[in-house]
Amino acid sequence: MTGNGVLPSPSPPETPISSPVDPPSPSAGEPTDDVFVPEDFDWGEFPPKSFENLKDLADPVFPETVLTYTLESSSPSSSLSIGSYVDPAAVATMQASVYSSPFIYKTIVEGLVGPEYHGRPVCGRPESSPEQVTCVMIGQLGVLSVVTPAPLPIEDVATFTEAIYDLL
C-alpha cells in the first residue's frame, strides 16, 4: 500500500492471457480442440478396425435396398436416425440406427455379451436381449448400429451392417 491508501497496480503479465471468447488460432496443420480425433479416444477392448475412409454419417440417407432387404420405414433426426428393413423371403428384419455421436460406440459394445469382430463391425448379443444380435461400426462423428429382433446368425447381421455402411 502506498502512502495515499491506494494499492500499486500490478505489472502486466509477460505473456498475454487468452480469454475464452478469443482463443488463440492453431498453427497450420495443427488440430483444434473441437475436432474429433478418433485415434485419441478410449474405445475400450474393441476399438474400430480402421479410422481410414470413415463414412460421413452426419445426415444419413437410408438406401432403398440392402442385399435382399427393402427399406420399410425411416425416421431421420438430428441425434438418431432409424431405418427399418425387411426381407420377406427370409422373414427377417433389421433395424439400422445412426447416432450422431461417436461416443455411443463404446457404450453399445460394452453392453454386448461376447462381443467379437466380424469383418469391420463388432457384433454380439445385448445383455438386455440375448435373443437379438447387434453389430456396430464407427463413422465420422457418428455410429451405425444394426439390431435384429429375430434370432439370426451373427454373420448375417455383420454382412448387412457392412453393406448398409458402404451404401450410406
Side-chain angles (χ1 to χ4, degrees):
M1 206 180 278
T2 61
N4 61 6
V6 178
L7 291 173
S9 23
S11 53
E14 289 182 23
T15 55
I17 299 173
S18 298
S19 71
V21 216
D22 188 21
S25 300
S27 304
E30 186 178 300
T32 60
D33 290 339
D34 61 345
V35 173
F36 177 67
V37 181
E39 294 86 351
D40 293 344
F41 185 71
D42 173 17
W43 296 104
E45 293 183 46
F46 292 90
K49 285 267 188 157
S50 172
F51 296 114
E52 296 175 14
N53 303 318
L54 294 178
K55 296 294 260 186
D56 180 1
L57 299 177
D59 192 19
V61 176
F62 292 104
E64 288 297 318
T65 58
V66 179
L67 303 173
T68 58
Y69 290 80
T70 304
L71 182 64
E72 187 174 64
S73 66
S74 67
S75 57
S77 165
S78 61
S79 60
L80 172 65
S81 295
I82 299 172
S84 297
Y85 288 84
V86 64
D87 180 349
V91 190
T93 61
M94 300 274 186
Q95 179 175 305
S97 302
V98 177
Y99 297 88
S100 63
S101 170
F103 306 112
I104 193 78
Y105 176 91
K106 183 177 178 183
T107 303
I108 293 171
V109 172
E110 287 176 344
L112 298 177
V113 174
E116 294 181 340
Y117 291 107
H118 289 269
R120 293 179 291 164
V122 173
C123 302
R125 299 190 180 276
E127 288 179 22
S128 59
S129 303
E131 71 283 355
Q132 296 180 344
V133 174
T134 297
C135 291
V136 63
M137 289 180 72
I138 189 79
Q140 287 180 1
L141 300 178
V143 170
L144 169 65
S145 172
V146 173
V147 177
T148 180
L152 291 175
I154 286 180
E155 294 76 20
D156 292 357
V157 183
T159 300
F160 179 89
T161 303
E162 284 196 61
I164 192 169
Y165 182 88
D166 290 339
L167 294 169
L168 286 173

